[in-house]
Amino acid sequence: YRGNQAYAQGDFHKAEDCYSRGINSMSMNETSPGCRKASMLCYSNRAASRMALGRMREALQDCRQAIELDYRFLRAKLRASR
């Protein structure tokens, strides 16, 4: 929520930090659908923040992480193609 607010306000550094904290708070071994979805969204949203900051390589890595969590996640695929 805080990351989305920061992003909407154009504070991309803060948004990136919020999404990073979200990613770091979850275990990579967690397999519950809810946790996987939350991780996927954090990676995708952090990618958008990094794209806005001009950090395309890092954004691409985040898109790849999101797609690895759910290969059907179209938004991450579209961001990666940019």
Side-chain angles (χ1 to χ4, degrees), residues 31-51:
T31 59
S32 71
C35 189
R36 289 179 65 84
K37 182 175 181 178
S39 293
M40 176 188 67
L41 291 173
C42 283
Y43 277 113
S44 178
N45 290 344
R46 187 172 74 175
S49 299
R50 288 177 167 179
M51 289 173 75

Side-chain angles (χ1 to χ4, degrees), residues 24 29 31 33-34 39 44-45 48-49 54-55 60 65-66 72 75:
N24 292 334
N29 296 325
T31 59
S39 293
S44 178
N45 290 344
S49 299
R55 294 173 29 214
L60 180 58
Q65 286 287 359
R72 299 166 296 174
R75 185 179 303 154

